[in-house]
Amino acid sequence: MASYNFKSITVVPPAKELIDIILSKTQRKTPTIIHKHYQISRIRSFYMRKVKFTESNLNEKLTGILAEFPKIEDIHPFYADLMNILYDKDHYKLALGQINMAKHLIGNVAKDYNRLLKFGDSLYRCKQLKRAALGRMCTIMKRQNSSLLYLEQVRQHLGRLPSIDPNTRTLLLFGFPNVGKSSFVNNITRANVEVQPYAFTTKSLYVGHTDYQYLRWQVIDTPGILDKPLEDRNTIEMQAITALAHLRACVVCVLDISEQCGYSLQQQCDLFNNIKPLFANKPLIVALNKIDTRRPEDLSQQEKDLLEETFKKDANVLVIPMSTLTKEGVSEVQNTACDALLAHRIEQKMAGNKVDNILNRLHVAVPKASQEIRQPHIPEGVLARRAAGYVKPDTIRKLERDLEEELGDDYILDLKKHYDLPNPDDMYDDIPEVWEGHNIADFVDPDIVQKLEELEKEEAMLEEAGVYESEDENLTEEQMEIREKAGLIRKEKAIIRHKHRLNKHRNRTPMSERVIRKKQGVKRARSVSTVSGDIPMEVDSKFQTKKIKPGRDVSGLRDEKQVKAVKVLKKRSQIKMNQFGRAGEADRHIAAKLPKHLFSGKRGAGKTQRR
């Protein structure tokens, strides 16, 4: 995971755009209405608020810019030197310093003009002081336009830099242009670095990631380096020099032994000797690339002596041939470089002071080997059975699965063959059945037949006594007629109840007040209906229409005249309250829906007093 995230830096607006943002926000977030007949303290506070609000917004914007951009002294030396090469450290510091100075100047301007506004004696003078304060703030910001533009370019370029973690496991490639560094990175990682048959295709640092021994490794492809003095190298070459100087990595020097890159083997060895101090105390791997074109055995004796003199005199330098085209030896170079870096990191940790502190807290217990030969322990019961001549049976119980495989289609699942019953002959009987290990016949009453005969005799005696005879047979004709009438009445009541429930939730048309009063004045009587013309039927009053209560605004009033008088009094009492409910100076209100300074084009000649 990268230690620095430069992609999260906020966009730096130009001076003109920043001024429009701040002044528009001041117009929207502060009161906009003031009159000359207000008290002078109110007028002063009105304009002082605008000055303070503008200064706080500018201070917030500039503080955010200063906080988000990295400080050269606080970041890793690799990034510090890289920023010095790409953006010029002095120019970068100067731009941030000017932004910081502008922030302090704006604070001083706001402080001075707020002190003057305390002594403003009129609306006009306070307004002119406010205009002067905002104008001076805008002038200060306009002078910082070049610094803001420069910082925006730096922000964009920082966002495009690769995320390099200077402290993680890293493989760093270097060499002349067109020797095969980018092809090697594409082979061992999922990076897609551009590869072309001309020099300096890679103009910046590229990062790919690979896995080895369940660890994540970053592989850095650097631009090509030419053999010349350090002060003559350009920005592209200096990026590779910076990475070699500051990153703790395994350095992989890629050589083109076929010399198709345009540089001889002598020039490549001279470059290695020239920058050798940069990778001191770092593991080093030399990869002889393009062996598919020219094998190491095909080199002349002079070239072999040159390679041996340059690399093999140092025992820590490993020379491995490879070909990025046929991928021969690529994995060997990767594995050897990773192992060398892991061993180097362990050596560094062991050489430090932290190892002693950790070893003091560790104790490894090593048991001593016993000289006595321990015999195996056999229980006495087993020895007794052996002495008695017991032989362990070889037969193994067959499972149902084994039987199914042996018999095939003739196999039938038998779940009763393992039942544990007192009489094995009863195992396959249907009655009685076995349930949970219990025989159902054990729970049957043996006298059930005798009890059934007694119950049948008792029922016969009750029937002879007339206990089960129906009561309807003893009713007279008059009683039967009354019962029929009562059934019809109950049926009619059920119909009325059902109709009431259906009409209960329907939307009824609103009735006028005259109809309501008329209905309220009529006395309700119990309605009586007859069924079949003989029996009168009373309908309960709860099924009648309910009395509609008057509203709360007219309850307690005698007539319509008194209701109108009350409404007039209600309106009069609201007049004074409505006067205090008008929009004030602190209400969030934009009088102009399209502010002129945001929606108009070029302004003509004349004064611009829109703010």
Side-chain angles (χ1 to χ4, degrees):
M1 181 178 177
S3 303
Y4 305 98
N5 185 17
F6 298 133
K7 295 179 175 61
S8 61
I9 302 177
T10 311
V11 177
V12 181
K16 185 177 183 303
E17 186 177 341
L18 182 61
I19 291 171
D20 286 341
I21 291 171
I22 298 301
L23 293 182
S24 177
K25 189 175 182 181
T26 303
Q27 180 74 7
R28 288 182 289 109
K29 299 288 186 179
T30 56
T32 56
I33 299 175
I34 191 71
H35 297 288
K36 60 182 179 181
H37 60 269
Y38 287 172
Q39 292 183 357
I40 189 63
S41 60
R42 183 175 178 183
I43 295 173
R44 290 170 184 165
S45 62
F46 176 86
Y47 287 109
M48 287 171 66
R49 180 176 177 182
K50 285 185 175 293
V51 174
K52 290 179 181 177
F53 189 82
T54 305
E55 185 270 336
S56 64
N57 283 327
L58 280 171
N59 186 38
E60 181 182 353
K61 287 283 186 182
L62 299 180
T63 304
I65 292 173
L66 294 172
E68 289 184 343
F69 276 88
K71 293 181 174 59
I72 299 293
E73 295 79 9
D74 298 340
I75 59 178
H76 194 273
F78 164 70
Y79 277 112
D81 279 3
L82 191 63
M83 292 181 66
N84 183 28
I85 293 168
L86 296 174
Y87 319 122
D88 188 4
K89 179 172 64 176
D90 296 334
H91 191 179
Y92 178 76
K93 285 186 173 182
L94 185 62
L96 292 179
Q98 288 178 342
I99 297 297
N100 189 34
M101 180 59 69
K103 183 182 75 169
H104 292 301
L105 290 176
I106 289 172
N108 293 334
V109 168
K111 189 187 301 182
D112 294 341
Y113 277 89
N114 275 328
R115 189 181 299 114
L116 293 174
L117 278 167
K118 291 180 181 179
F119 301 99
D121 55 357
S122 65
L123 173 66
Y124 176 76
R125 183 159 298 180
C126 291
K127 181 178 180 181
Q128 295 303 317
L129 288 173
K130 185 266 297 184
R131 287 183 60 199
L134 268 59
R136 288 190 61 183
M137 294 180 191
C138 295
T139 303
I140 293 172
M141 289 309 305
K142 286 179 182 178
R143 291 174 182 169
Q144 308 305 323
N145 187 42
S146 59
S147 298
L148 294 173
L149 293 176
Y150 168 76
L151 289 176
E152 173 61 15
Q153 292 178 357
V154 171
R155 184 198 68 83
Q156 293 177 1
H157 199 280
L158 279 174
R160 292 192 293 267
L161 285 180
S163 298
I164 298 174
D165 187 357
N167 302 314
T168 191
R169 296 164 293 275
T170 307
L171 301 183
L172 185 61
L173 307 176
F174 87 95
F176 268 93
N178 269 17
V179 295
K181 301 185 297 298
S182 301
S183 301
F184 180 77
V185 172
N186 290 340
N187 281 330
I188 67 173
T189 67
R190 288 180 291 180
N192 187 19
V193 185
E194 184 181 3
V195 177
Q196 295 294 341
Y198 51 82
F200 289 107
T201 307
T202 304
K203 297 181 180 179
S204 61
L205 300 176
Y206 285 89
V207 180
H209 293 85
T210 185
D211 293 326
Y212 179 72
Q213 291 187 357
Y214 304 102
L215 297 173
R216 177 57 60 92
W217 299 69
Q218 66 180 4
V219 184
I220 301 179
D221 180 21
T222 61
I225 306 174
L226 299 179
D227 186 16
K228 53 186 177 181
L230 183 65
E231 57 273 7
D232 295 340
R233 289 195 168 99
N234 56 20
T235 303
I236 297 175
E237 295 176 280
M238 287 303 297
Q239 296 181 52
I241 298 298
T242 303
L244 286 169
H246 294 291
L247 293 181
R248 296 190 302 172
C250 177
V251 180
V252 179
C253 176
V254 183
L255 299 182
D256 181 7
I257 61 174
S258 68
E259 300 182 353
Q260 291 180 350
C261 62
Y263 303 96
S264 65
L265 201 58
Q266 179 67 44
Q267 291 176 309
Q268 299 180 56
C269 293
D270 292 341
L271 173 66
F272 177 83
N273 294 324
N274 188 10
I275 63 174
K276 191 174 181 180
L278 292 177
F279 37 82
N281 300 324
K282 296 178 184 177
L284 179 62
I285 304 294
V286 177
L288 305 179
N289 194 18
K290 301 184 182 180
I291 61 173
D292 55 301
T293 303
R294 188 182 184 188
R295 307 292 299 184
E297 297 82 11
D298 301 335
L299 296 176
S300 63
Q301 186 62 37
Q302 183 181 359
E303 292 173 335
K304 291 180 181 179
D305 295 341
L306 177 63
L307 291 177
E308 185 173 357
E309 181 184 355
T310 306
F311 305 113
K312 294 187 179 180
K313 63 181 180 181
D314 190 353
N316 297 326
V317 179
L318 299 175
V319 181
I320 303 174
M322 72 170 185
S323 172
T324 56
L325 181 62
T326 61
K327 299 184 180 179
E328 179 185 355
V330 171
S331 60
E332 184 182 356
V333 172
Q334 176 190 358
N335 298 342
T336 306
C338 294
D339 291 336
L341 182 60
L342 287 177
H344 179 70
R345 288 165 69 95
I346 293 173
E347 288 177 4
Q348 284 187 328
K349 291 179 181 178
M350 294 296 292
N353 297 327
K354 294 183 179 179
V355 177
D356 297 334
N357 297 332
I358 296 174
L359 290 177
N360 291 335
R361 287 179 271 167
L362 298 177
H363 174 69
V364 180
V366 181
K368 296 182 179 179
S370 176
Q371 300 296 332
E372 182 183 356
I373 300 175
R374 299 176 60 184
Q375 299 294 334
H377 174 72
I378 301 175
E380 295 181 358
V382 176
L383 294 174
R385 292 172 68 182
R386 285 183 181 179
Y390 174 79
V391 179
K392 184 178 180 181
D394 296 334
T395 57
I396 301 175
R397 177 187 173 187
K398 290 185 178 181
L399 302 178
E400 292 296 322
R401 179 65 178 174
D402 301 332
L403 293 175
E404 182 181 2
E405 292 178 353
E406 288 181 5
L407 299 176
D409 296 338
D410 298 335
Y411 171 76
I412 298 174
L413 179 63
D414 188 3
L415 299 177
K416 295 184 178 181
K417 63 183 179 182
H418 298 300
Y419 283 175
D420 185 13
L421 299 178
N423 186 8
D425 298 336
D426 298 338
M427 188 178 297
Y428 294 98
D429 290 353
D430 293 336
I431 299 175
E433 293 183 353
V434 176
W435 180 72
E436 291 186 357
H438 301 285
N439 196 336
I440 294 178
D442 296 340
F443 301 95
V444 176
D445 190 355
D447 302 330
I448 189 170
V449 178
Q450 182 181 356
K451 292 180 180 179
L452 179 60
E453 291 177 355
E454 293 177 358
L455 182 61
E456 289 177 350
K457 290 179 182 179
E458 185 178 356
E459 290 294 325
M461 292 173 62
L462 291 174
E463 287 181 359
E464 291 177 0
V467 175
Y468 297 118
E469 292 181 356
S470 175
E471 296 180 358
D472 296 343
E473 298 177 358
N474 300 327
L475 295 177
T476 61
E477 294 182 358
E478 185 178 358
Q479 291 176 339
M480 292 290 291
E481 188 177 359
I482 292 174
R483 179 169 292 185
E484 291 179 0
K485 300 291 185 182
L488 293 174
I489 290 172
R490 283 193 293 272
K491 185 177 180 181
E492 187 68 22
K493 279 187 175 182
I495 293 172
I496 294 173
R497 192 180 299 113
H498 182 63
K499 288 182 179 180
H500 173 71
R501 288 174 180 171
L502 290 177
N503 296 330
K504 187 175 182 180
H505 300 292
R506 288 184 179 175
N507 293 327
R508 300 179 180 177
T509 55
M511 293 182 292
S512 62
E513 295 182 1
R514 181 176 59 81
V515 177
I516 294 174
R517 287 198 302 272
K518 184 177 179 181
K519 286 183 174 292
Q520 290 175 350
V522 177
K523 294 182 179 180
R524 294 187 180 86
R526 299 182 132 223
S527 59
V528 181
S529 62
T530 58
V531 180
S532 301
D534 297 328
I535 304 300
M537 182 182 69
E538 293 186 359
V539 181
D540 199 347
S541 63
K542 69 179 180 179
F543 299 113
Q544 299 295 326
T545 306
K546 290 184 179 180
K547 198 181 273 189
I548 300 176
K549 295 181 180 180
R552 294 182 64 183
D553 56 339
V554 297
S555 62
L557 303 178
R558 291 192 301 273
D559 50 9
E560 192 73 21
K561 184 177 180 182
Q562 197 170 11
V563 171
K564 291 181 179 180
V566 168
K567 290 183 177 180
V568 171
L569 291 175
K570 178 183 175 182
K571 288 184 178 180
R572 287 179 182 174
S573 65
Q574 291 289 335
I575 292 175
K576 194 169 184 180
M577 189 179 297
N578 293 339
Q579 288 178 349
F580 290 104
R582 292 176 180 173
E585 64 180 37
D587 289 328
R588 303 298 173 87
H589 175 66
I590 301 175
K593 298 300 181 184
L594 299 177
K596 182 179 178 183
H597 68 282
L598 293 179
F599 294 94
S600 62
K602 291 184 178 180
R603 298 193 302 272
K607 296 182 179 179
T608 55
Q609 298 182 355
R610 61 190 185 281
R611 300 190 184 96

